[in-house]
Amino acid sequence: MSPEETIEKFKLLGLSEQKAKETLKNANVTKFLLAALNEIDLQKIPNGAGLLIYHLATKIKPQIGDKLSFVCKYIIDGKLDSTLRIDAALEYLLSHVNESKVDINEFENACGVGVVVSPEQVEQAVEKHMAKFKQELIEKRYRFNSGIIMQAVRADLKWADGKAIKNEVDIQILDLLGPKTEADLAPVPKAEKKTKGDVNKKVKKEEPQANETSDVTESSGDIGGAVSIPELMKKLQFHAPGENYKSDGYVVTPNTKKLLEEHLKITSGKVRTRFPPEPNGILHIGHAKAININFGYAAAHDGVCFLRYDDTNPEKEEEKFFVAIKDMVEWLGYKPYKVTHSSDYFDQLYEWAVKLIKKDLAYICHQKSEEIKGFNPPPSPWRNRPIEESLQLFEDMKNGKIDEGEATLRMKITLEEGKQDPVAYRIKFKPHHRTGNKWCIYPTYDYTHCLCDSIEHITHSLCTKEFQSRRSSYYWLCNVLDIYCPVQWEYGRLNVNYTVVSKRKIGKLIEHGIVNDWDDPRLLTLPALRRRGVPAAAVNAFCARLGVTGALGAVDPCALDAAARDALNLTAPRVMVVLEPLKITITNFESGKPIIVQVPDFPNEPEKGSHNVVLDKVLFIEAADFKEQPEKGYRRLTPTQTVGLRHAGYVLKVSKVIKNSAGQVSELECTAESTESAVKPKAFVHWVSQPVSVEIRLYEPLFKHKNPEDPSEVPGGFITDCREDTLKVVYAYADRSIKGAKVYEKFQFERIGFFSVDPDTSSTNIVFNRTVSLKEDAGK
């Protein structure tokens, strides 16, 4: 059938031409809709039944595809006469997916077949629930959310027609309130926007650039939304524990029902997720999304999340990676239910591999790794070798009798992408960091991952989109071994522009001396972000604002910077620090001794506390806050223009400009006048007096191009794309209240930016890293 003929057929069901064309783009819906059309006579279907058939095709899942004809007949006979009843029918059939024969009485009862709700019943139910909200209705009038009443009526009368309920609610509200007045029709006044602290310029924020549609859920909204991880996780349309069979693509076997019942007993019906990092590198910003989704989904549903180290590679693992991974998970605010390792299950995994061979579902292959790379490798000449032979060879592999690279165990399955017979075990004569020399054969990710998920009774195996091609092998392996099978859900991975995150590439940056280590603040590893001073709450908010979709996307680091500003603006106390000091002597300083000035930690919220600052005869301002020959519009200190001192209550006026031998301004002499008597200045500047010296590290973006790994943009490789001078160290003056600041303590340096105390800080030298400027730099 041509596309044009198919569209014409769809239109006979009542679809518009546009809707029919859109439907044709969805292969799954088209398949079921055409199958349904083969079951019915389009000339004899009742009025409205065509659109119900369409609804059925969009909602039915492959697990119950064989029941399509059965449901179609009920629609044609007028027994399933609403989308509500069709949804109930599909829900019932999914819940009884293992039963070959449908219990008609149970089915019809579950779908409300034959149940008629009279107009009088609807009227009475609406009256009952209207009475509960009468006072609120009178107060709010037509701005009252009538959906609350409709929901309550629906709960009482499950099979009532939705339109009938709405009409009755509208009639009774009109009867109570009368026709709408001009006030009812007037637009709702906009709520005043709350300002946030001192950051008074709206920060431009970036959206992820999606290049495909979502197949997980809708995005959570724009980057500036107030969505949190718990809110986002509660919106995800995932299956309930034990209802794995309701998920698209889930494979049901005769034992599925029994295995799920056992699973629910073990888990007590709670959500179980896992975060499975390889313990041979440091976590980065992409992992933060995975951590938030896995731990966040479990937390939002009162479940648990395992931290499982995927340590199937026997290469020497460094302890710092294990420690850093757990440390970063906890830094983001999550506590693992249990810390496990894939190696915990090596014995069980080996037993299952033997079982696969005995079932003739795996075999020993001698093709070299380079021979089976790519998507069209030659088929293995050993695929059909006798079971006993493969069993003996697998035993020989285990006992170290076969050399590395001379044999692998391969599974008899073809992946969605066409790759045939993935490797389950390979030989590596290397000791494992946890199991020592016990094994010289090690399982692969393709083999291990789903089986560990099964052992730990994971309910939702949440992973990035690139693993979608492994979903069929995931389900196949669990089912052929006749063990509990979790559900795999995929979401789009997070890509961030202007950075690299692979452990190999970061290793190269360290090797070339471009960055110092894995936690260098110019990187987007999680230890680097923490060291730079980005709060964990900002990382979590950044992940939440991106949403959870199946789309691949890339965001600019400025979106993370914006999240950091939002968090720090509420939590980082203000202090005064001068990066490029210019000395000022107040010639009319009359008190003879320093004055104590009280400075609020949060000027917009004085109740949050304050700290004391010394004002003495000698003080320092930023060199840029004075210009001997200012340009037009310059508002700060000049020989003819005064400037105010923030928080001090004084206005400075230049009386003498002192220059050094090079002709540069080195000092000013000024007079000070109280703000109460002085002419109001055009600006107020920050300052310090009797300061302490601090080291400030100002970091800039590391790479020039959005994608430093793209050979078309950067033909010389990512190392050649690194900027020079991405770290500037200045020795600044800070007010004394900052003495004793702890590592990772965060401050807003007034008028400059947000800064965090670096771990290099010692008793004699406080070191600060700039986390982010107060405003986004438009030039970046």
Side-chain angles (χ1 to χ4, degrees):
M1 189 185 301
S2 70
E4 292 75 19
E5 289 172 320
T6 304
I7 288 169
E8 289 305 313
K9 212 164 186 184
F10 286 174
K11 284 165 68 177
L12 292 173
L13 290 170
L15 300 184
S16 66
E17 182 154 357
Q18 182 62 29
K19 191 70 178 173
K21 286 178 179 177
E22 286 174 10
T23 301
L24 193 61
K25 293 176 186 176
N26 189 319
N28 209 38
V29 174
T30 296
K31 180 183 78 172
F32 283 121
L33 201 50
L34 289 173
L37 287 168
N38 288 333
E39 302 289 334
I40 61 177
D41 183 346
L42 282 169
Q43 306 303 320
K44 296 181 180 178
I45 62 171
N47 190 34
L51 292 177
L52 293 176
I53 295 285
Y54 172 77
H55 181 79
L56 169 65
T58 63
K59 294 289 185 179
I60 195 166
K61 294 190 183 295
Q63 298 94 299
I64 52 170
D66 60 328
K67 300 294 192 300
L68 183 75
S69 173
F70 174 79
V71 180
C72 278
K73 188 173 187 310
Y74 268 83
I75 293 173
I76 300 306
D77 291 346
K79 293 180 179 179
L80 297 179
D81 55 3
S82 68
T83 56
L84 191 69
R85 283 193 165 97
I86 292 170
D87 290 345
L90 297 177
E91 177 78 17
Y92 176 88
L93 293 171
L94 272 172
S95 302
H96 296 77
V97 69
N98 284 321
E99 296 169 18
S100 55
K101 193 173 181 184
V102 178
D103 184 316
I104 298 300
N105 288 334
E106 260 192 25
F107 173 78
E108 292 190 351
N109 185 52
C111 304
V113 172
V115 176
V116 177
V117 179
S118 69
E120 290 77 15
Q121 285 176 289
V122 174
E123 184 182 352
Q124 288 167 9
V126 172
E127 280 178 5
K128 180 179 85 171
H129 292 290
M130 279 272 291
K132 296 175 187 175
F133 297 98
K134 185 175 180 181
Q135 194 55 42
E136 193 177 346
L137 265 161
I138 292 169
E139 288 172 10
K140 294 183 179 177
R141 291 184 59 77
Y142 285 98
R143 291 197 173 104
F144 175 80
N145 179 10
S146 58
I148 298 169
I149 296 171
M150 287 186 257
Q151 277 185 329
V153 174
R154 170 71 75 203
D156 285 357
L157 303 173
K158 184 178 178 180
W159 304 113
D161 179 68
K163 287 182 182 176
I165 294 173
K166 186 180 185 310
N167 289 340
E168 186 60 36
V169 169
D170 290 346
I171 288 167
Q172 292 199 28
I173 288 177
L174 179 65
D175 189 48
L176 175 68
L177 304 178
K180 287 185 178 180
T181 64
E182 283 188 24
D184 294 325
L185 295 169
V188 180
K190 289 183 179 178
E192 284 187 24
K193 289 183 179 178
K194 292 183 180 178
T195 58
K196 288 188 175 182
D198 299 353
V199 181
N200 52 25
K201 181 177 177 183
K202 187 176 180 184
V203 177
K204 178 188 171 189
K205 296 169 184 177
E206 298 283 333
E207 294 254 21
Q209 299 298 308
N211 60 16
E212 60 174 85
T213 56
S214 162
D215 63 357
V216 177
T217 184
E218 292 288 322
S219 173
S220 63
D222 79 54
I223 197 76
V227 175
S228 66
I229 287 293
E231 288 172 317
L232 178 62
M233 293 301 113
K234 284 174 182 173
K235 290 178 182 178
L236 295 181
Q237 301 297 308
F238 292 154
H239 69 283
E243 295 186 351
N244 303 30
Y245 53 85
K246 292 185 179 180
S247 304
D248 284 338
Y250 191 79
V251 179
V252 176
T253 71
N255 273 339
T256 295
K257 187 175 181 181
K258 176 178 74 72
L259 290 167
L260 286 174
E261 286 171 355
E262 291 170 359
H263 160 73
L264 286 172
K265 285 179 187 173
I266 290 166
T267 63
S268 301
K270 285 198 169 191
V271 164
R272 283 190 177 201
T273 60
R274 82 290 166 272
F275 173 58
E278 290 182 78
N280 56 5
I282 296 291
L283 300 186
H284 54 71
I285 189 64
H287 289 114
K289 180 176 179 180
I291 290 168
N292 271 292
I293 290 174
N294 280 287
F295 281 92
Y297 187 77
H301 294 83
D302 192 30
V304 299
C305 183
F306 291 74
L307 170 57
R308 184 202 307 147
Y309 293 113
D310 181 32
D311 60 346
T312 54
N313 192 333
E315 303 294 340
K316 176 72 176 166
E317 311 288 2
E318 291 187 52
E319 185 63 23
K320 72 174 183 179
F321 294 138
F322 284 86
V323 173
I325 288 170
K326 186 169 182 287
D327 191 26
M328 288 300 98
V329 168
E330 292 176 348
W331 174 60
L332 290 177
Y334 299 109
K335 185 168 178 59
Y337 166 67
K338 194 175 181 183
V339 176
T340 61
H341 305 74
S342 293
S343 56
D344 295 340
Y345 312 120
F346 277 176
D347 289 320
Q348 178 64 76
L349 296 174
Y350 176 79
E351 287 178 26
W352 278 334
V354 171
K355 185 176 179 180
L356 278 181
I357 298 170
K358 287 180 177 177
K359 295 180 81 167
D360 200 18
L361 296 172
Y363 63 95
I364 300 300
C365 176
H366 302 291
Q367 285 176 297
K368 306 293 184 188
S369 60
E370 55 272 16
E371 290 180 70
I372 60 175
K373 278 182 179 173
F375 289 101
N376 291 300
S380 172
W382 293 280
R383 197 172 201 266
N384 296 313
R385 77 188 320 160
I387 291 172
E388 289 304 318
E389 197 175 300
S390 281
L391 282 172
Q392 183 58 56
L393 287 167
F394 192 47
E395 180 75 11
D396 290 346
M397 283 171 62
K398 173 177 170 284
N399 293 332
K401 294 180 179 179
I402 301 177
D403 286 340
E404 211 171 297
E406 294 299 314
T408 58
L409 179 69
R410 295 176 67 181
M411 299 177 280
K412 290 187 178 181
I413 180 177
T414 302
L415 303 180
E416 287 98 326
E417 60 196 14
K419 187 175 180 182
Q420 193 175 56
D421 297 357
V423 172
Y425 270 86
R426 72 275 201 219
I427 303 166
K428 282 186 182 278
F429 290 115
K430 290 186 175 69
H432 190 276
H433 65 104
R434 295 188 74 245
T435 60
N437 291 309
K438 179 178 179 181
W439 299 93
C440 62
I441 56 170
Y442 293 96
T444 61
Y445 179 93
D446 282 334
Y447 176 75
T448 306
H449 184 66
C450 61
L451 300 183
C452 289
D453 281 353
S454 177
I455 291 168
E456 292 176 354
H457 280 271
I458 301 305
T459 57
H460 300 76
S461 182
L462 307 172
C463 57
T464 49
K465 195 77 175 175
E466 62 262 38
F467 292 103
Q468 185 170 342
S469 62
R470 274 91 172 264
R471 196 199 296 176
S472 61
S473 67
Y474 186 109
Y475 291 161
W476 174 83
L477 197 44
C478 290
N479 288 330
V480 297
L481 290 170
D482 204 22
I483 58 177
Y484 162 71
C485 183
V487 177
Q488 177 173 306
W489 290 94
E490 303 93 12
Y491 57 87
R493 69 180 295 166
L494 169 61
N495 295 314
V496 181
N497 296 327
Y498 300 102
T499 193
V500 296
V501 293
S502 90
K503 55 181 179 281
R504 185 180 63 81
K505 290 184 171 67
I506 291 175
K508 286 271 186 192
L509 292 172
I510 296 169
E511 184 185 316
H512 282 75
I514 294 167
V515 299
N516 296 321
D517 207 340
W518 294 88
D519 64 348
D520 188 294
R522 288 164 287 191
L523 298 172
L524 285 190
T525 64
L526 294 187
L529 291 174
R530 179 172 66 171
R531 185 166 188 173
R532 179 153 67 91
V534 177
V539 176
N540 294 344
F542 168 71
C543 293
R545 291 169 185 178
L546 293 174
V548 182
T549 76
L552 297 175
V555 290
D556 277 352
C558 62
L560 179 59
D561 289 346
R565 283 189 194 94
D566 289 344
L568 289 167
N569 200 49
L570 299 173
T571 57
R574 280 53 168 165
V575 295
M576 292 192 289
V577 177
V578 174
L579 299 189
E580 295 181 29
L582 174 62
K583 182 180 177 183
I584 289 180
T585 301
I586 300 175
T587 56
N588 64 336
F589 195 81
E590 295 173 356
S591 68
K593 59 181 181 178
I595 298 168
I596 301 300
V597 176
Q598 192 176 60
V599 177
D601 292 338
F602 297 87
N604 286 3
E605 299 173 278
E607 69 279 3
K608 282 189 171 183
S610 61
H611 58 278
N612 291 331
V613 172
V614 173
L615 173 61
D616 207 345
K617 182 175 182 175
V618 175
L619 58 87
F620 301 87
I621 66 169
E622 291 286 354
D625 285 339
F626 170 77
K627 284 199 175 179
E628 193 173 15
Q629 295 177 327
E631 68 275 10
K632 187 179 178 182
Y634 186 76
R635 300 170 62 83
R636 286 157 283 163
L637 189 61
T638 75
T640 59
Q641 182 170 274
T642 63
V643 78
L645 296 177
R646 286 172 75 86
H647 311 297
Y650 289 97
V651 175
L652 295 181
K653 183 178 181 181
V654 176
S655 54
K656 185 178 181 182
V657 177
I658 302 168
K659 297 183 179 182
N660 60 22
S661 57
Q664 298 167 325
V665 176
S666 59
E667 186 179 341
L668 301 175
E669 288 183 0
C670 296
T671 57
E673 185 179 351
S674 169
T675 51
E676 293 178 5
S677 58
V679 176
K680 186 178 180 182
K682 290 182 177 179
F684 284 80
V685 298
H686 63 282
W687 53 275
V688 292
S689 191
Q690 294 188 10
V692 293
S693 182
V694 295
E695 180 183 332
I696 309 287
R697 296 173 182 174
L698 304 171
Y699 292 97
E700 298 293 340
L702 196 57
F703 294 101
K704 300 170 190 172
H705 290 86
K706 267 191 176 184
N707 186 358
E709 298 172 82
D710 184 348
S712 63
E713 281 191 44
V714 189
F718 72 98
I719 292 289
T720 66
D721 197 48
C722 293
R723 298 173 185 269
E724 294 180 7
D725 304 323
T726 55
L727 169 59
K728 180 183 177 184
V729 178
V730 299
Y731 293 91
Y733 286 164
D735 76 52
R736 287 189 168 274
S737 68
I738 218 162
K739 285 186 76 174
K742 305 284 192 299
V743 171
Y744 298 131
E745 199 169 346
K746 296 157 182 55
F747 299 90
Q748 182 191 115
F749 293 179
E750 293 206 37
R751 299 176 62 229
I752 300 174
F754 295 102
F755 291 77
S756 178
V757 182
D758 187 82
D760 285 346
T761 291
S762 67
S763 58
T764 56
N765 184 37
I766 305 176
V767 181
F768 284 95
N769 296 319
R770 180 172 62 192
T771 305
V772 66
S773 60
L774 287 183
K775 301 170 186 176
E776 182 184 333
D777 183 350
K780 284 185 185 177

